[in-house]
């Protein structure tokens, strides 16, 4: 028996049913958004994989996956992304530069003389959008990875597949 039923008797049971349906709808929507979001991981305090207690998706979830990711990599998030990009996309010239007073890094992929992709790795707390807008205006593909989004791990395979997809068009 729900709160409304206790307060207003059986007449309020329908309100309880509606509230339960709305809660489930919100949970389903949140799960769907998690699966398709462009954001990325957080908990730097985790250092090893643990058995899954809750469901997880491709490179996200409550527990660190048993795969190389930015948190179990022996280096900073900047070194991790640099390593993934240079080893997995060696056919591109890749430039990197610190941005926003060292709180982010921007990777520019070049193919011949053509700018093929711009990748921005920054905090989820950032509210910068200029680079994304500039890339759109230039017709250059753009990706954003967050290095501190709770539950997103930026596994090597996730970063590789997502970057490859952006480069492919």
């Amino acid at each position: 028996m729900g709160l409304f039923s206790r307060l207003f008797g059986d007449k309020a049971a329908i309100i309880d049913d509606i509230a339960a349906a709305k809660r489930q709808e919100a949970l389903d929507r949140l799960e769907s958004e998690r699966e398709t979001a462009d954001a990325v991981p957080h908990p730097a305090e985790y250092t090893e994989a643990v058995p899954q207690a809750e469901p997880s998706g491709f490179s996200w979830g409550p527990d660190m996956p048993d795969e190389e990711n930015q948190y179990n990599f022996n280096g900073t998030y900047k070194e991790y992304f640099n390593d993934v990009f240079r080893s997995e996309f060696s056919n591109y010239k890749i430039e990197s530069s610190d941005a926003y007073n060292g709180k982010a890094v921007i990777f520019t992929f070049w193919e011949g003389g053509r700018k093929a992709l711009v990748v921005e790795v920054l905090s989820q707390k950032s509210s910068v959008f200029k680079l994304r807008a500039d890339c759109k205006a230039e017709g250059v593909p753009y990706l954003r990875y967050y290095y501190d989004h709770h539950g997103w791990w930026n596994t090597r395979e996730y970063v590789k597949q997502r970057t490859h997809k952006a480069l492919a068009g």
Side-chain angles (χ1 to χ4, degrees):
M1 180 179 273
L3 176 64
F4 287 110
S5 295
R6 279 186 251 141
L7 292 174
F8 303 108
D10 291 334
K11 294 177 185 177
I14 195 163
I15 294 173
D16 288 335
D17 291 342
I18 292 170
K22 289 293 184 187
R23 273 193 308 276
Q24 187 59 49
E25 199 175 293
L27 288 171
D28 292 345
R29 187 172 49 252
L30 178 62
E31 183 67 23
S32 175
E33 288 171 2
R34 270 185 166 173
E35 291 174 359
T36 58
D38 284 340
V40 197
H42 185 354
E45 68 271 13
Y46 295 125
T47 57
E48 60 184 55
V50 293
Q52 299 277 323
E54 298 177 31
S56 294
F58 182 50
S59 195
W60 65 266
D63 300 318
M64 182 185 294
D66 190 20
E67 178 184 346
E68 183 180 57
N69 63 72
Q70 77 178 57
Y71 296 103
N72 63 15
F73 180 78
N74 190 21
T76 66
Y77 77 89
K78 292 176 184 182
E79 293 168 330
Y80 172 72
F81 280 95
N82 188 55
D83 180 68
V84 172
F85 293 150
R86 294 191 192 283
S87 64
E88 299 293 342
F89 302 97
S90 59
N91 52 324
Y92 291 88
K93 177 184 175 202
I94 303 172
E95 297 173 348
S96 66
S97 60
D98 284 342
Y100 316 118
N101 296 318
K103 295 180 181 175
V105 62
I106 298 169
F107 295 92
T108 305
F109 290 64
W110 295 89
E111 186 174 43
R114 178 183 72 86
K115 191 185 298 185
L117 175 66
V118 174
V119 177
E120 197 170 32
V121 182
L122 67 166
S123 171
Q124 73 171 1
K125 297 171 189 155
S126 176
S127 60
V128 295
F129 299 101
K130 183 178 181 341
L131 182 60
R132 184 186 330 201
D134 290 349
C135 287
K136 184 176 182 178
E138 294 174 26
V140 174
Y142 168 90
L143 279 181
R144 176 176 278 191
Y145 290 100
Y146 294 113
Y147 60 77
D148 62 351
H149 188 81
H150 181 75
W152 287 85
W153 301 99
N154 288 327
T155 59
R156 178 174 281 273
E157 191 61 26
Y158 171 75
V159 173
K160 180 178 138 183
Q161 286 185 24
R162 190 163 171 247
T163 304
H164 178 72
K165 184 177 177 183
L167 285 164

